[in-house]
PDB file of all heavy atoms in Angstrom:
ATOM      1  N   ALA A  29     -26.408 -19.266  -1.485  1.00  0.00           N
ATOM      2  CA  ALA A  29     -26.479 -20.402  -2.422  1.00  0.00           C
ATOM      3  C   ALA A  29     -27.630 -20.200  -3.412  1.00  0.00           C
ATOM      4  O   ALA A  29     -28.459 -19.298  -3.278  1.00  0.00           O
ATOM      5  CB  ALA A  29     -26.694 -21.698  -1.638  1.00  0.00           C
ATOM      6  N   PHE A  30     -27.711 -21.093  -4.386  1.00  0.00           N
ATOM      7  CA  PHE A  30     -28.817 -21.171  -5.341  1.00  0.00           C
ATOM      8  C   PHE A  30     -29.888 -22.079  -4.771  1.00  0.00           C
ATOM      9  O   PHE A  30     -29.538 -23.176  -4.279  1.00  0.00           O
ATOM     10  CB  PHE A  30     -28.316 -21.748  -6.675  1.00  0.00           C
ATOM     11  CG  PHE A  30     -29.419 -22.139  -7.618  1.00  0.00           C
ATOM     12  CD1 PHE A  30     -29.975 -21.203  -8.461  1.00  0.00           C
ATOM     13  CD2 PHE A  30     -29.923 -23.440  -7.643  1.00  0.00           C
ATOM     14  CE1 PHE A  30     -31.011 -21.544  -9.325  1.00  0.00           C
ATOM     15  CE2 PHE A  30     -30.964 -23.783  -8.506  1.00  0.00           C
ATOM     16  CZ  PHE A  30     -31.499 -22.831  -9.340  1.00  0.00           C
ATOM     17  N   LEU A  96     -21.313 -19.664   0.017  1.00  0.00           N
ATOM     18  CA  LEU A  96     -21.724 -21.066   0.158  1.00  0.00           C
ATOM     19  C   LEU A  96     -22.294 -21.545  -1.178  1.00  0.00           C
ATOM     20  O   LEU A  96     -23.196 -20.915  -1.735  1.00  0.00           O
ATOM     21  CB  LEU A  96     -22.757 -21.196   1.277  1.00  0.00           C
ATOM     22  CG  LEU A  96     -23.059 -22.642   1.701  1.00  0.00           C
ATOM     23  CD1 LEU A  96     -23.333 -22.724   3.215  1.00  0.00           C
ATOM     24  CD2 LEU A  96     -24.221 -23.243   0.944  1.00  0.00           C
ATOM     25  N   SER A  97     -21.740 -22.630  -1.675  1.00  0.00           N
ATOM     26  CA  SER A  97     -22.171 -23.260  -2.933  1.00  0.00           C
ATOM     27  C   SER A  97     -22.116 -22.257  -4.084  1.00  0.00           C
ATOM     28  O   SER A  97     -21.033 -21.812  -4.429  1.00  0.00           O
ATOM     29  CB  SER A  97     -23.546 -23.896  -2.766  1.00  0.00           C
ATOM     30  OG  SER A  97     -23.689 -24.864  -3.790  1.00  0.00           O
ATOM     31  N   MET A  98     -23.264 -21.818  -4.664  1.00  0.00           N
ATOM     32  CA  MET A  98     -23.160 -20.835  -5.744  1.00  0.00           C
ATOM     33  C   MET A  98     -22.440 -19.578  -5.249  1.00  0.00           C
ATOM     34  O   MET A  98     -21.681 -18.948  -6.000  1.00  0.00           O
ATOM     35  CB  MET A  98     -24.551 -20.466  -6.275  1.00  0.00           C
ATOM     36  CG  MET A  98     -24.484 -19.483  -7.426  1.00  0.00           C
ATOM     37  SD  MET A  98     -26.092 -19.113  -8.158  1.00  0.00           S
ATOM     38  CE  MET A  98     -26.726 -17.911  -6.995  1.00  0.00           C
ATOM     39  N   GLY A  99     -22.659 -19.219  -3.973  1.00  0.00           N
ATOM     40  CA  GLY A  99     -21.936 -18.072  -3.400  1.00  0.00           C
ATOM     41  C   GLY A  99     -20.426 -18.284  -3.458  1.00  0.00           C
ATOM     42  O   GLY A  99     -19.658 -17.340  -3.629  1.00  0.00           O
ATOM     43  N   TYR A 101     -18.939 -20.009  -5.855  1.00  0.00           N
ATOM     44  CA  TYR A 101     -18.541 -19.771  -7.251  1.00  0.00           C
ATOM     45  C   TYR A 101     -18.316 -18.260  -7.465  1.00  0.00           C
ATOM     46  O   TYR A 101     -17.385 -17.846  -8.169  1.00  0.00           O
ATOM     47  CB  TYR A 101     -19.617 -20.234  -8.249  1.00  0.00           C
ATOM     48  CG  TYR A 101     -20.126 -21.646  -8.130  1.00  0.00           C
ATOM     49  CD1 TYR A 101     -21.386 -21.990  -8.633  1.00  0.00           C
ATOM     50  CD2 TYR A 101     -19.375 -22.656  -7.541  1.00  0.00           C
ATOM     51  CE1 TYR A 101     -21.881 -23.293  -8.545  1.00  0.00           C
ATOM     52  CE2 TYR A 101     -19.871 -23.955  -7.445  1.00  0.00           C
ATOM     53  CZ  TYR A 101     -21.128 -24.261  -7.937  1.00  0.00           C
ATOM     54  OH  TYR A 101     -21.633 -25.531  -7.840  1.00  0.00           O
ATOM     55  N   ARG A 123     -17.435 -25.927  -4.962  1.00  0.00           N
ATOM     56  CA  ARG A 123     -16.353 -26.568  -5.721  1.00  0.00           C
ATOM     57  C   ARG A 123     -15.759 -25.560  -6.685  1.00  0.00           C
ATOM     58  O   ARG A 123     -16.405 -24.560  -7.049  1.00  0.00           O
ATOM     59  CB  ARG A 123     -16.856 -27.800  -6.466  1.00  0.00           C
ATOM     60  CG  ARG A 123     -17.982 -27.560  -7.449  1.00  0.00           C
ATOM     61  CD  ARG A 123     -18.226 -28.778  -8.356  1.00  0.00           C
ATOM     62  NE  ARG A 123     -18.515 -29.984  -7.622  1.00  0.00           N
ATOM     63  CZ  ARG A 123     -19.744 -30.426  -7.298  1.00  0.00           C
ATOM     64  NH1 ARG A 123     -20.799 -29.739  -7.691  1.00  0.00           N
ATOM     65  NH2 ARG A 123     -19.917 -31.539  -6.615  1.00  0.00           N
ATOM     66  N   ASP A 127     -19.150 -27.267 -14.505  1.00  0.00           N
ATOM     67  CA  ASP A 127     -20.116 -28.367 -14.652  1.00  0.00           C
ATOM     68  C   ASP A 127     -19.591 -29.404 -15.650  1.00  0.00           C
ATOM     69  O   ASP A 127     -18.983 -29.054 -16.660  1.00  0.00           O
ATOM     70  CB  ASP A 127     -21.449 -27.821 -15.205  1.00  0.00           C
ATOM     71  CG  ASP A 127     -22.343 -27.251 -14.113  1.00  0.00           C
ATOM     72  OD1 ASP A 127     -21.945 -27.274 -12.930  1.00  0.00           O
ATOM     73  OD2 ASP A 127     -23.443 -26.783 -14.451  1.00  0.00           O
ATOM     74  N   ARG A 135     -28.798 -28.954 -15.720  1.00  0.00           N
ATOM     75  CA  ARG A 135     -29.175 -27.521 -15.670  1.00  0.00           C
ATOM     76  C   ARG A 135     -30.296 -27.249 -16.676  1.00  0.00           C
ATOM     77  O   ARG A 135     -31.219 -26.497 -16.397  1.00  0.00           O
ATOM     78  CB  ARG A 135     -27.977 -26.620 -16.030  1.00  0.00           C
ATOM     79  CG  ARG A 135     -26.758 -26.742 -15.151  1.00  0.00           C
ATOM     80  CD  ARG A 135     -26.930 -26.183 -13.778  1.00  0.00           C
ATOM     81  NE  ARG A 135     -25.643 -26.143 -13.090  1.00  0.00           N
ATOM     82  CZ  ARG A 135     -25.509 -26.180 -11.773  1.00  0.00           C
ATOM     83  NH1 ARG A 135     -26.554 -26.272 -10.983  1.00  0.00           N
ATOM     84  NH2 ARG A 135     -24.309 -26.125 -11.229  1.00  0.00           N
ATOM     85  N   MET A 154     -35.295 -29.559  -5.128  1.00  0.00           N
ATOM     86  CA  MET A 154     -33.987 -29.380  -4.488  1.00  0.00           C
ATOM     87  C   MET A 154     -33.933 -29.627  -2.996  1.00  0.00           C
ATOM     88  O   MET A 154     -32.852 -29.842  -2.445  1.00  0.00           O
ATOM     89  CB  MET A 154     -33.475 -27.953  -4.764  1.00  0.00           C
ATOM     90  CG  MET A 154     -33.054 -27.784  -6.209  1.00  0.00           C
ATOM     91  SD  MET A 154     -31.890 -26.450  -6.417  1.00  0.00           S
ATOM     92  CE  MET A 154     -30.440 -27.032  -5.566  1.00  0.00           C
ATOM     93  N   LEU A 158     -30.596 -30.048  -0.465  1.00  0.00           N
ATOM     94  CA  LEU A 158     -30.071 -28.899   0.294  1.00  0.00           C
ATOM     95  C   LEU A 158     -29.917 -29.205   1.779  1.00  0.00           C
ATOM     96  O   LEU A 158     -29.004 -28.705   2.437  1.00  0.00           O
ATOM     97  CB  LEU A 158     -30.987 -27.683   0.116  1.00  0.00           C
ATOM     98  CG  LEU A 158     -31.082 -27.121  -1.311  1.00  0.00           C
ATOM     99  CD1 LEU A 158     -32.099 -25.982  -1.370  1.00  0.00           C
ATOM    100  CD2 LEU A 158     -29.715 -26.621  -1.794  1.00  0.00           C
ATOM    101  N   MET A 193     -24.549 -20.640 -13.512  1.00  0.00           N
ATOM    102  CA  MET A 193     -23.816 -21.799 -12.966  1.00  0.00           C
ATOM    103  C   MET A 193     -23.373 -22.725 -14.098  1.00  0.00           C
ATOM    104  O   MET A 193     -22.261 -23.252 -14.092  1.00  0.00           O
ATOM    105  CB  MET A 193     -24.696 -22.557 -11.963  1.00  0.00           C
ATOM    106  CG  MET A 193     -24.947 -21.765 -10.695  1.00  0.00           C
ATOM    107  SD  MET A 193     -25.689 -22.764  -9.373  1.00  0.00           S
ATOM    108  CE  MET A 193     -27.309 -23.094 -10.050  1.00  0.00           C
ATOM    109  N   ARG A 196     -20.284 -21.370 -15.872  1.00  0.00           N
ATOM    110  CA  ARG A 196     -19.150 -20.859 -15.089  1.00  0.00           C
ATOM    111  C   ARG A 196     -17.863 -21.574 -15.495  1.00  0.00           C
ATOM    112  O   ARG A 196     -17.876 -22.767 -15.805  1.00  0.00           O
ATOM    113  CB  ARG A 196     -19.412 -20.992 -13.582  1.00  0.00           C
ATOM    114  CG  ARG A 196     -19.268 -22.396 -13.066  1.00  0.00           C
ATOM    115  CD  ARG A 196     -19.719 -22.520 -11.615  1.00  0.00           C
ATOM    116  NE  ARG A 196     -19.331 -23.802 -11.056  1.00  0.00           N
ATOM    117  CZ  ARG A 196     -19.961 -24.951 -11.283  1.00  0.00           C
ATOM    118  NH1 ARG A 196     -21.016 -24.996 -12.078  1.00  0.00           N
ATOM    119  NH2 ARG A 196     -19.516 -26.069 -10.724  1.00  0.00           N
ATOM    120  N   VAL A 220     -24.382 -32.566  -2.287  1.00  0.00           N
ATOM    121  CA  VAL A 220     -24.183 -31.773  -3.521  1.00  0.00           C
ATOM    122  C   VAL A 220     -22.688 -31.557  -3.756  1.00  0.00           C
ATOM    123  O   VAL A 220     -22.174 -31.778  -4.864  1.00  0.00           O
ATOM    124  CB  VAL A 220     -24.920 -30.411  -3.430  1.00  0.00           C
ATOM    125  CG1 VAL A 220     -24.708 -29.600  -4.714  1.00  0.00           C
ATOM    126  CG2 VAL A 220     -26.403 -30.603  -3.169  1.00  0.00           C
ATOM    127  N   HIS A 246     -25.999 -29.792   2.910  1.00  0.00           N
ATOM    128  CA  HIS A 246     -25.392 -28.804   2.003  1.00  0.00           C
ATOM    129  C   HIS A 246     -25.482 -27.373   2.563  1.00  0.00           C
ATOM    130  O   HIS A 246     -24.507 -26.628   2.529  1.00  0.00           O
ATOM    131  CB  HIS A 246     -26.103 -28.917   0.653  1.00  0.00           C
ATOM    132  CG  HIS A 246     -25.531 -28.080  -0.429  1.00  0.00           C
ATOM    133  ND1 HIS A 246     -24.207 -28.138  -0.824  1.00  0.00           N
ATOM    134  CD2 HIS A 246     -26.107 -27.139  -1.235  1.00  0.00           C
ATOM    135  CE1 HIS A 246     -24.004 -27.289  -1.819  1.00  0.00           C
ATOM    136  NE2 HIS A 246     -25.131 -26.670  -2.080  1.00  0.00           N
TER     137      HIS A 246
HETATM  138  C1  MLT B 301     -26.167 -24.243  -4.632  1.00  0.00           C
HETATM  139  O1  MLT B 301     -26.470 -24.738  -3.551  1.00  0.00           O
HETATM  140  O2  MLT B 301     -25.826 -23.055  -4.741  1.00  0.00           O
HETATM  141  C2  MLT B 301     -26.268 -25.101  -5.867  1.00  0.00           C
HETATM  142  O3  MLT B 301     -26.775 -26.351  -5.514  1.00  0.00           O
HETATM  143  C3  MLT B 301     -24.945 -25.231  -6.544  1.00  0.00           C
HETATM  144  C4  MLT B 301     -25.007 -25.978  -7.836  1.00  0.00           C
HETATM  145  O4  MLT B 301     -26.092 -26.439  -8.234  1.00  0.00           O
HETATM  146  O5  MLT B 301     -23.967 -26.100  -8.496  1.00  0.00           O
END
Side-chain angles (χ1 to χ4, degrees):
F30 168 86
L96 191 145
S97 201
M98 182 176 80
Y101 307 157
R123 58 168 57 93
D127 276 0
R135 300 289 190 206
M154 288 203 67
L158 296 176
M193 291 192 292
R196 76 188 191 282
V220 180
H246 186 56

